[in-house]
Every structure is written in structure tokens, then in C-alpha cells.
Amino acid sequence: MTTENIRTYDVIVIGAGPVGENVADRTSAAGLSTVIVESELAGGECSYWACEPSKALLRPALLRADAVHVPGLGPAVKGPLDTEAVLAHRDRMAADWKDDGQVEWIESAGIDLLRGHGRLAGEREVSVRTPAGDTVRLRARHAVAVCTGSRAALPPLPGIENLRPWTSREATSARKPSGRLAVAGAGVVGVEMATAWQALGSRVTLLARGEGLLPRMEPFAGELVTERLREAGADVRFNVSVVAAQRVRDGEVRITLSDGGELTADEILFATGRAPRSEDIGLDTVGLAPGDWIATDDSLTVTAVPGNWLYAVGDVNRRALFTHQGKYQARIAGAVIVARARGERLDTGRWAPHSSTADTEAVPGVVFTDPEVASVGLTAREAERTGRAVEVVDYEIGHLAGALQYRPDYRGKARVLIDRDRQVVVGATFAGPGVAELLYSATVAITAEMPVERLWHAVPAFPTISEVWLRLLETRRDS
């Protein structure tokens, strides 16, 4: 027997990942009664099957890769990683796949948490099927925010339902290394998981459909990562894809490749893109197509639905599929919802409080491989494709004293793109050990639209890798 009850809030948030939590935090802090609906673990994909566990797997591998080249440390770190200890650390960083801490935070923020599967049920209404089989009807006075994120997209291979492949979830939560791991995909998930599991003892074969790794980044980034993966023992292949795969009786995976070759592995990871978690959230009740990405304007409002009450925030809107970018959108969306609830006029100009301008101008991202890759803004290829007139300035990071102190055999490269008309930085990419911490300075330069001449007054400390900024300016001047 099921029961139904009706509850009314100012704001309903569907999805308690980092994005939904941030929307709810902003609206609740402003005095709007807020409920957040979650069907899995509060904390979302990032906390349990993506950012946190993957970086816990990668950190030991990257630290050893640096330490083994530092004088005096080599003999101490040349042995294999303690796989059991690494996986135990991974489990701790994923909170052992329990969300007690996240629930405690939600409650401390004055937000109601409703467990169950939430579906839109018309204008400002959400129907929630609870684990007990009851139905709770939620009504929103002001806003409903869809923050359901994305999931791994599997290729349409015959029999894939019987293959039991790894996706990003299995790759970040596996209880032990696979003896032979095939990785299909040359993007961030593919190269990070190849890096991690190769370091933990798997024999990795990485299959890239195109001509290089990390195809959305500057080519030199993928080239450096390829070089290091191969040095670590991984088999990296280009211009090849999986056309068939089956798991045979002994558990092996037999793989047929597009070049006619065959491959046998113990597990296969498909890191071939993302799809929106929107197939069963009631989009049809508000005139949208189930399973589609949900388009918004820069205020994160779903413009195809009249009334300015529906918002799509984070991965589900496909604007920028990063946790940190989704949280940024959540801060913007929260401000928009509060302003509209108070009857205030929105300020949606470029870089304004109610506009997620960074989604198109300054999306930062780090790939935690050996070497690290960090980028924000345009690449040279994107600038050419969109007709942007830019100056491209490159510098070999290994020429810096700070880089040689970090690692005597340091290899890396930096590139900045400068808008020829406005004379401001519009893109930056760094590839090399320890470059992740350079990214925020580049992001600030782009979002502040700081004139290049002013950058001469931003003095980097010696000897640090951040001196690359000065060398890039000098290289531009001398050219």
C-alpha cells in the first residue's frame, strides 16, 4: 500500500551532487525554504565515482614519477606502489561510499533532504517515489532546479549488455587491478585511468580513435602524456576503435579492432563520453524531450519552458562538464533564483552576477596524468575555427630554474593565446609536472581581462615554475 502527501517549498532541487548542494545552499542561506531530492548518495558522482576516488588513485603514481627523478630519492621510491594502501586511501577519500557526512552538512545548512526518485510533474511540481514505495508530491513557489548530472555513455556495440564493461564508476571503485586492462577512449577519463592502473600493476592498452590523446587540448599536451605512458609500459595505439567485444567463459574479454587486429583483456573500460541523466525525470511533462541535454541561457534558466521557474545546472545542461564549473553555475543559478523570488531585476551582462560567462570564456580543467595538463580558455585550434585573431606564444618550461629544482629532467611546455585587438590573454595551456597550480593565475588573467602590459608588474617568485609567465612575456617581446 502506498500513500501520497503534498509538501510546498520555495525551491526544489533534483539531485544532491555538488551542483545541487550548492544551489540549495545559496537559496537556503537567502531564506528560501529548500528541499533537495536524491535517489543515490548525497554528494553525487564526483564524491564517490569520479573526482575524489580518481585523484586518490593518481596521486601516488604522480608523486612517485616525480620523486624517482629527484637526486637522493630514486632508490627509495623505485619499487612498486603498495596497491593495498593506495586502494585503502581511495576508499577513505570516497567516504567508503557512505554519505553520512554529506547528509550532516545538508541538515546543518537548513536544507531538507528527501530520498527517492524525483520526476517533474508539471509546472513547479515534482513527484518523488521514495524507497518505501510512497509518493511525495512537491510544489515550488519559485523554482525547480534540475541538477541530475551525467553518466557514462557506452558505444552501440552488439551484445554490450552481456559484456559487463567498466565505465568510469567501475574504474574508480575497482577492488583490485585488472591484470590486462583495455581502455577505449583518449579523453580525460581514459588517460587518467590508464595512468592510475598502469602504475598499480595493470598491463594497459589504450585505444585512441583519433591521431592523439586529449584531442580537445593543445596537441603538445597529448604528445607528452603519450610519451610518459609508453615509458611506463602502456601500449598506446592511435586511429583504432573497438568494433566488437565479448566476454568468454573464462572471463576474458575478446576484442576486435577497427584495423582488423584482435586484443584479449581481463577488463575493458569504455571512456567514450557522457550522456545526460534526464531520461526519466519527467521532462515530457513540461514539453521537453526525455533523455536530451537541457539547454539554458547564461542565467541557467530553461528558456524552452515558459515562466522562468525551471533551471538546469551542471552537466545536465552540457555547458561545461566539470564539477567545479557546475558549482560555479550553481552559485549563479542560486543568485538568479533569489533575485527573482525577491522581485529584483537581473543583471545578466558579461561577467555580471547573474550570468555564467565563464562557461564560454574561461573554463579551467586539469588532467592529472604524468605529466599534468592544465588549460583554460581557448586553444589555438579553437581560435582558428572561430576566427579569433590571436598571438600564440610558447615556452619550454624545462628551461626554468624552478622547473629544474622540481625535477632535474623536467620536460613541459606552456602556451598562451593573446587577443590581437584587445591585448588580453584569452587562453592558456600548461603541460608538465606540477603545473596544475599554475591554472588559477591564468584563469584570473582571462576573467579579469588584464592587459598584457599590466602582467609585467605581476612578479613571479624565484625559483618557481610560475616564472613561466615572465618567460612567456619575454618570448613575446623578443619575437
Side-chain angles (χ1 to χ4, degrees):
M1 180 177 179
T2 62
T3 60
E4 178 171 300
N5 59 65
I6 299 174
R7 306 176 194 174
T8 301
Y9 290 87
D10 291 323
V11 179
I12 303 168
V13 179
I14 306 176
V19 176
E21 288 179 337
N22 272 267
V23 172
D25 183 41
R26 290 303 188 273
T27 58
S28 179
L32 300 180
S33 61
T34 302
V35 62
I36 192 165
V37 180
E38 177 55 54
S39 60
E40 291 189 289
L41 296 176
E45 199 81 6
C46 179
S47 298
Y48 308 105
W49 301 287
C51 319
E52 294 284 10
S54 68
K55 303 317 167 276
L57 291 173
L58 285 158
R59 176 59 180 157
L62 303 187
L63 184 58
R64 184 181 65 174
D66 289 338
V68 75
H69 294 280
V70 175
L73 285 178
V77 295
K78 281 187 176 178
L81 293 174
D82 183 339
T83 300
E84 185 176 339
V86 172
L87 295 179
H89 172 60
R90 183 274 313 274
D91 293 353
R92 287 191 296 272
M93 293 306 295
D96 292 309
W97 293 273
K98 298 176 182 177
D99 63 2
D100 298 11
Q102 297 284 345
V103 172
E104 182 179 351
W105 175 84
I106 290 170
E107 292 174 347
S108 72
I111 303 162
D112 285 356
L113 172 63
L114 179 58
R115 298 216 185 247
H117 181 75
R119 302 181 79 257
L120 292 165
E123 183 174 346
R124 292 184 173 84
E125 291 200 358
V126 173
S127 176
V128 181
R129 188 73 167 176
T130 73
D134 298 329
T135 298
V136 178
R137 198 85 166 180
L138 301 176
R139 289 177 178 165
R141 296 185 185 92
H142 298 294
V144 176
V146 176
C147 308
T148 50
S150 65
R151 56 176 172 79
L154 290 172
L157 292 178
I160 197 168
E161 63 277 2
N162 299 317
L163 183 60
R164 304 190 308 278
W166 280 12
T167 67
S168 52
R169 283 200 169 194
E170 289 77 18
T172 55
S173 62
R175 308 315 304 171
K176 63 180 181 179
S178 165
R180 297 163 297 176
L181 175 63
V183 179
V188 176
V189 172
V191 296
E192 285 192 346
M193 290 298 93
T195 299
W197 289 112
Q198 179 70 37
L200 288 169
S202 296
R203 297 192 302 279
V204 172
T205 302
L206 179 57
L207 308 170
R209 185 170 54 185
E211 297 181 352
L213 302 184
L214 302 173
R216 296 186 179 182
M217 307 184 95
E218 298 286 6
F220 63 79
E223 291 165 5
L224 286 167
V225 173
T226 300
E227 178 182 302
R228 290 295 298 124
L229 275 171
R230 284 175 169 164
E231 287 177 3
D235 179 3
V236 183
R237 307 184 191 183
F238 298 119
N239 299 307
V240 65
S241 58
V242 177
V243 295
Q246 63 175 334
R247 194 174 289 274
V248 295
R249 287 185 179 180
D250 58 5
E252 290 185 337
V253 180
R254 304 273 175 85
I255 304 165
T256 303
L257 304 176
S258 57
D259 62 3
E262 294 185 346
L263 179 66
T264 301
D266 297 297
E267 301 291 349
I268 182 169
L269 162 62
F270 285 108
T272 48
R274 307 290 295 177
R277 291 183 181 274
S278 65
E279 62 276 10
D280 186 25
I281 58 170
L283 292 184
D284 53 309
T285 69
V286 293
L288 301 177
D292 279 1
W293 301 97
I294 307 175
T296 73
D297 62 15
D298 285 351
S299 72
L300 290 314
T301 306
V302 181
T303 53
V305 176
N308 293 332
W309 62 272
L310 184 61
Y311 300 79
V313 193
D315 278 13
V316 75
N317 63 31
R318 209 184 192 181
R319 291 172 65 88
L321 276 65
F322 291 99
T323 295
H324 48 268
Q325 207 67 23
K327 291 163 71 173
Y328 160 75
Q329 292 176 15
R331 295 190 290 271
I332 301 295
V336 170
I337 291 168
V338 171
R340 282 180 170 150
R342 293 173 175 173
E344 298 171 355
R345 185 175 181 179
L346 297 188
D347 182 356
T348 57
R350 197 163 177 266
W351 302 117
H354 303 130
S355 179
S356 54
T357 309
D359 285 345
T360 54
E361 298 292 330
V363 176
V366 176
V367 188
F368 292 88
T369 44
D370 176 21
E372 291 177 344
V373 180
S375 68
V376 60
L378 291 174
T379 63
R381 194 176 322 176
E382 289 170 334
E384 181 179 6
R385 180 177 57 81
T386 57
R388 298 278 292 272
V390 298
E391 300 175 57
V392 178
V393 186
D394 291 340
Y395 188 79
E396 296 293 330
I397 303 176
H399 294 164
L400 296 169
L404 297 177
Q405 292 282 8
Y406 190 96
R407 181 167 160 171
D409 67 340
Y410 195 106
R411 289 198 60 215
K413 186 172 181 177
R415 169 172 289 179
V416 295
L417 274 59
I418 299 170
D419 187 291
R420 289 187 182 276
D421 297 326
R422 296 188 294 134
Q423 290 297 293
V424 296
V425 177
V426 292
T429 299
F430 308 98
V435 298
E437 300 306 330
L438 289 175
L439 189 57
Y440 189 66
S441 58
T443 305
V444 169
I446 293 173
T447 57
E449 299 182 332
M450 185 180 296
V452 174
E453 289 304 313
R454 178 64 62 84
L455 287 175
W456 283 100
H457 298 282
V459 182
F462 179 87
T464 65
I465 297 175
S466 64
E467 269 201 306
V468 70
W469 281 103
L470 177 58
R471 299 294 174 253
L472 287 163
L473 293 173
E474 291 174 340
T475 298
R476 176 176 182 259
R477 176 199 63 193
D478 296 343
S479 66

